[in-house]
Amino acid sequence: HVQLVESGGGSVQAGGSLRLSCAASGFTYNRNCMAWFRQAPGKEREGVARIATGSGNTYYADSVKGRFTISQDNAKNTVYLQMNSLKPEDTTMYFCAASLSWWRCHVLASSDINYWGQGTQVTVS
């Protein structure tokens, strides 16, 4: 069965860094769009970064551009989110996600997602 297992969340001071990992299994990794979303309480889920696993093309929300980097290790079916220069407003739950609609990676929305991870908390103080 499909699994997206996240790790790497935690607490950090403003200006610090964290790296999130998401190990995928149970589906064909190299022909989809992997993404990180975040959701604060009472707010809609926001797409943070995406990577088309076949081409390696990456896409970012304006709020994280220049600070966050999404990458992948195809051999491990794992996607990463390197978060630098973290701000208190980055505090929330982060979710790994996979969409089989790889052709929509450049405009991916939460409605395109086929699989979600369980989420990992990031706290910036």
Side-chain angles (χ1 to χ4, degrees):
H1 68 285
V2 174
Q3 281 191 304
L4 297 175
V5 180
E6 299 127 328
S7 60
S11 297
V12 66
Q13 290 189 335
S17 299
L18 284 173
R19 189 175 84 152
L20 306 182
S21 300
C22 173
S25 61
F27 62 99
T28 302
Y29 176 84
N30 60 2
R31 193 170 173 82
N32 61 67
C33 182
M34 296 295 294
W36 289 95
F37 285 74
R38 63 186 181 186
Q39 185 170 25
K43 293 189 176 181
E44 288 193 2
R45 200 161 284 193
E46 173 194 17
V48 173
R50 293 102 64 195
I51 185 166
T53 57
S55 66
N57 290 340
T58 58
Y59 311 91
Y60 297 93
D62 288 342
S63 57
V64 305
K65 204 171 290 184
R67 300 189 298 124
F68 290 11
T69 302
I70 189 170
S71 62
Q72 62 179 349
D73 184 334
N74 294 67
K76 296 181 179 180
N77 287 1
T78 298
V79 63
Y80 305 97
L81 186 68
Q82 178 67 43
M83 304 184 293
N84 298 329
S85 302
L86 282 161
K87 306 175 181 180
E89 51 263 43
D90 294 318
T91 295
T92 190
M93 285 289 287
Y94 285 72
F95 297 87
C96 177
S99 172
L100 302 181
S101 304
W102 53 268
W103 58 92
R104 287 188 51 80
C105 205
H106 64 299
V107 291
L108 202 76
S110 56
S111 57
D112 296 309
I113 300 302
N114 297 100
Y115 311 115
W116 291 98
Q118 79 284 0
T120 186
Q121 177 68 35
V122 170
T123 302
V124 184
S125 59

